[in-house]
Amino acid sequence: MMGRRRSGGVAMAVAALLLLAAAAASASPASTLEGFQPLSKIAIHKTTVDLHDSAYVRATPALLGDQGEDTEWVTVKYGWANPSADDWIAVFSPADFLSGSCPNPSRYPGEPLLCTAPIKYQWANYSANYLYWGKGSIRFQLINQRYDFSFALFTGGLENPKLVAVSKPISFKNPKAPVYPRLAQGKSYDEMTVTWTSGYDISEAYPFVEWGMVVLSGSGAAATAPARTVGWREPGFIHTAFLRDLWPNKEYYYKIGHELSDGSIVWGKQYTFRAPPFPGQNSLQRIIVFGDMGKAERDGSNEFANYQPGSLNTTDRLVEDLDNYDIVFHIGDLPYSNGYISQWDQFTAQVAPITAKKPYMIASGNHERDWPNTGGFFDVKDSGGECGVPAETMEGTDQYKFIEHCLSTVDRKHQPWLIFAAHRVLGYSSNSWYADQGSFEEPEGRESLQKLWQKHRVDVAFFGHVHNYERTCPLYQSQCVSGEKSRFSGTMNGTIFVIAGGGGSHLSDYTSAIPKWSVFRDRDYGFVKLTAFNHSSLLFEYKKSSDGKVYDSFTVDRDYRDVLSCVHDSCYPTTLAS
């Protein structure tokens, strides 16, 4: 049994909320099938204000989170004398979006430009009979985002919004409370990091994590060691604590908190996690892999844009199966906030039931990174100006050296399964856009990496970016090196490439002609689960997000001698002496 511990937090203000992970570089033009961030459809710069006595908006309850909840449902009632199909209800946070404290940009002289975009919105006629009676009622789900909220009734549609009524503000009991912890694997096997968000500056409250090993009675005892435009929204303070010297495969509890200047403590909720195994430990390990999930609203707001229709299904399946996997890899394109910073809070709240209990590792996608003149291969605007702030990236020669170092330092005797993951397709995909380019890959993708994968005997390579599922045969240099499709054994002569980009965003099409290396394709939402039973047996499963059932699978059985066996381009060439 261990003593109770506290790990102090490192607090920082950043432009967007971020999870912990290693990032993968990206660079290529956005697909023509890419959707639009719903909030970007609102012409905030053209907003006019014409408050009407006949118009009203009322929200209840006025106080949220009275029992410490960080998510609440709010009922909004509204109406006015001139209802229209173009009327809509917006949720603003902070509540004061009309103070005039943000001056109009010179390019919109004389217009009462609002300071910020709303965090979500819904059409007024979402409520039945609104057009007939001139009044309606909608329920919104709100999360604790550090500030109060107000609700506004607009007419004129999204292109020419006219504000006609605003509600009184409502608020969570403690808007600054620590929320949405995110676990991530540390730099060593015995370290776990905890990152969370709060409204407390380091100068007003000391952030820390109380943690300890869970004992058989279900309780733990512990020890102490210190832890530009309308799209902008104050992201709060991001705190990170490092929990070190963990015992392999043991369960730990933790609880985030902030000690105020008067000595009182504001606590977050308590959670548990299981420490990783010792490297090479012969134990069951299960991982989840997917990309391009995005976020969605359970109250139906913003969803008419059909931006990430499968996101909630994927999240819900993973929450339901929480006890049957150990770590999650989200390989790029996280909330698709595209410069609307409020959406990072929405995303972390959506995945919080997962991230609070399982390490949630991310890679950087084009919707986190790409922006003109920021060092990307193509000058596209997919990140909405975030420019990679939410996730670090590595590019060019430095990235190649990093990948080579990672692959070459793996001890395959003790860590027999070698997996590669990146956001953009550096391997193979029969996506229609790639097919039109005649490449089935990203520009300058696999050409520089194929020999590395072969040399170091990479088993499976995962990619996102393309919003569907596809699995190849074991490949090298565009050629299938095995005719087997579901049960692999002995020496693997190539790498199996998997597209796992169906996490939730709008789906991508395939080319009509199926390449000979494409074994299985599914244009649907889903994720992959890898189960390593031991050092010699691996199970691969593709599951649909709609029902969680397996629709594609294969197994690999081999021993260490098979990993050492030379295959084409995996060993240095030799010549027998005469």
Side-chain angles (χ1 to χ4, degrees), residues 387-546:
C387 306
V389 173
E392 298 173 344
T393 58
M394 291 169 290
E395 295 182 336
T397 302
D398 289 340
Q399 184 186 36
Y400 184 90
K401 290 179 179 178
F402 170 80
I403 295 172
E404 186 172 31
H405 175 75
C406 285
L407 297 179
S408 64
T409 54
V410 176
D411 181 355
R412 299 300 289 275
K413 184 174 183 179
H414 296 99
Q415 296 166 305
W417 308 108
L418 187 53
I419 310 298
F420 180 92
H423 177 65
R424 290 188 184 266
V425 181
L426 305 180
Y428 298 81
S429 165
S430 61
N431 170 253
S432 59
W433 187 85
Y434 290 142
D436 290 342
Q437 308 304 308
S439 62
F440 296 111
E441 61 160 333
E442 286 290 317
E444 300 186 6
R446 61 178 176 265
E447 282 72 18
S448 60
L449 291 171
Q450 282 195 108
K451 289 190 175 182
L452 270 185
W453 294 326
Q454 186 77 347
K455 176 181 177 181
H456 298 291
R457 311 294 296 279
V458 170
D459 295 303
V460 184
F462 286 100
F463 308 99
H465 192 56
V466 174
H467 302 166
N468 55 39
Y469 170 77
E470 185 169 19
R471 172 170 68 94
T472 74
C473 60
L475 275 169
Y476 184 53
Q477 300 290 12
S478 302
Q479 300 297 315
C480 290
V481 294
S482 170
E484 181 55 59
K485 295 183 178 180
S486 60
R487 295 184 178 181
F488 301 97
S489 61
T491 301
M492 292 284 282
N493 295 322
T495 298
I496 295 173
F497 296 90
V498 177
I499 303 300
S505 194
H506 52 281
L507 294 169
S508 303
D509 291 326
Y510 302 102
T511 179
S512 57
I514 303 177
K516 60 183 180 180
W517 41 257
S518 183
V519 172
F520 192 97
R521 306 196 301 187
D522 186 38
R523 189 182 182 275
D524 204 349
Y525 301 107
F527 53 92
V528 169
K529 181 179 181 180
L530 281 177
T531 302
F533 296 99
N534 47 46
H535 282 61
S536 59
S537 183
L538 180 74
L539 171 64
F540 174 105
E541 297 172 298
Y542 162 67
K543 299 185 176 185
K544 288 197 179 190
S545 300
S546 57

Side-chain angles (χ1 to χ4, degrees), residues 37-84:
Q37 160 60 246
L39 298 179
S40 70
K41 298 187 175 186
I42 305 173
I44 291 294
H45 61 283
K46 296 170 65 175
T47 302
T48 57
V49 178
D50 187 15
L51 299 177
H52 278 242
D53 291 337
S54 68
Y56 66 90
V57 184
R58 304 186 185 102
T60 55
L63 180 65
L64 309 175
D66 189 42
Q67 302 300 316
E69 302 92 341
D70 50 34
T71 302
E72 288 272 31
W73 285 89
V74 174
T75 299
V76 179
K77 296 183 178 181
Y78 52 91
W80 75 309
N82 303 300
S84 164

Side-chain angles (χ1 to χ4, degrees), residues 174 176 200 204-206 208 258-266:
N174 182 6
K176 292 186 175 183
Y200 291 112
E204 62 177 321
Y206 173 74
F208 66 92
H258 289 259
E259 184 176 356
L260 304 181
S261 57
D262 63 1
S264 62
I265 294 178
V266 179

Side-chain angles (χ1 to χ4, degrees), residues 94-267:
D96 181 11
F97 62 97
L98 280 173
S99 65
S101 60
C102 90
N104 295 341
S106 59
R107 62 184 182 276
Y108 305 123
E111 294 186 10
L113 176 67
L114 301 187
C115 293
T116 182
I119 62 172
K120 61 170 67 178
Y121 62 102
Q122 181 58 276
W123 294 109
N125 63 8
Y126 188 76
S127 178
N129 299 317
Y130 169 74
L131 295 179
Y132 182 80
W133 294 107
K135 58 184 179 181
S137 177
I138 293 176
R139 296 184 75 220
F140 285 102
Q141 187 183 58
L142 300 184
I143 64 170
N144 194 344
Q145 289 184 264
R146 301 171 301 284
Y147 293 98
D148 54 3
F149 303 85
S150 63
F151 303 82
L153 174 60
F154 288 87
T155 190
L158 305 181
E159 289 295 325
N160 294 286
K162 179 188 293 185
L163 178 64
V164 297
V166 182
S167 75
K168 292 181 179 179
I170 66 173
S171 177
F172 277 84
K173 186 175 182 179
N174 182 6
K176 292 186 175 183
V179 290
Y180 318 126
R182 286 91 68 188
L183 293 174
Q185 177 66 55
K187 292 184 177 181
S188 62
Y189 76 93
D190 60 350
E191 177 181 279
M192 191 73 71
T193 65
V194 185
T195 299
W196 71 96
T197 309
S198 81
Y200 291 112
D201 189 344
I202 190 70
S203 63
E204 62 177 321
Y206 173 74
F208 66 92
V209 176
E210 181 177 282
W211 61 285
M213 188 182 293
V214 175
V215 294
L216 293 179
S217 64
S219 61
T224 312
R228 290 182 250 186
T229 61
V230 297
W232 167 258
R233 185 181 188 275
E234 177 61 48
F237 298 92
I238 314 301
H239 314 275
T240 298
F242 300 87
L243 314 184
R244 297 189 171 100
D245 300 324
L246 302 176
W247 195 259
N249 279 334
K250 292 297 183 181
E251 188 176 9
Y252 288 82
Y253 81 89
Y254 74 97
K255 184 166 58 172
I256 55 179
H258 289 259
E259 184 176 356
L260 304 181
S261 57
D262 63 1
S264 62
I265 294 178
V266 179
W267 289 107

Side-chain angles (χ1 to χ4, degrees), residues 13-19 232-233 235 238 337 341 344 386 389-391:
V14 295
L17 193 61
L18 53 113
L19 301 170
W232 167 258
R233 185 181 188 275
I238 314 301
S337 61
I341 307 304
W344 281 94
E386 292 180 5
V389 173

Side-chain angles (χ1 to χ4, degrees), residues 411-414 535-536 558-565:
D411 181 355
R412 299 300 289 275
K413 184 174 183 179
H414 296 99
H535 282 61
S536 59
R558 63 152 191 245
D559 60 28
Y560 181 49
R561 293 171 297 177
D562 298 319
V563 178
L564 294 180
S565 299

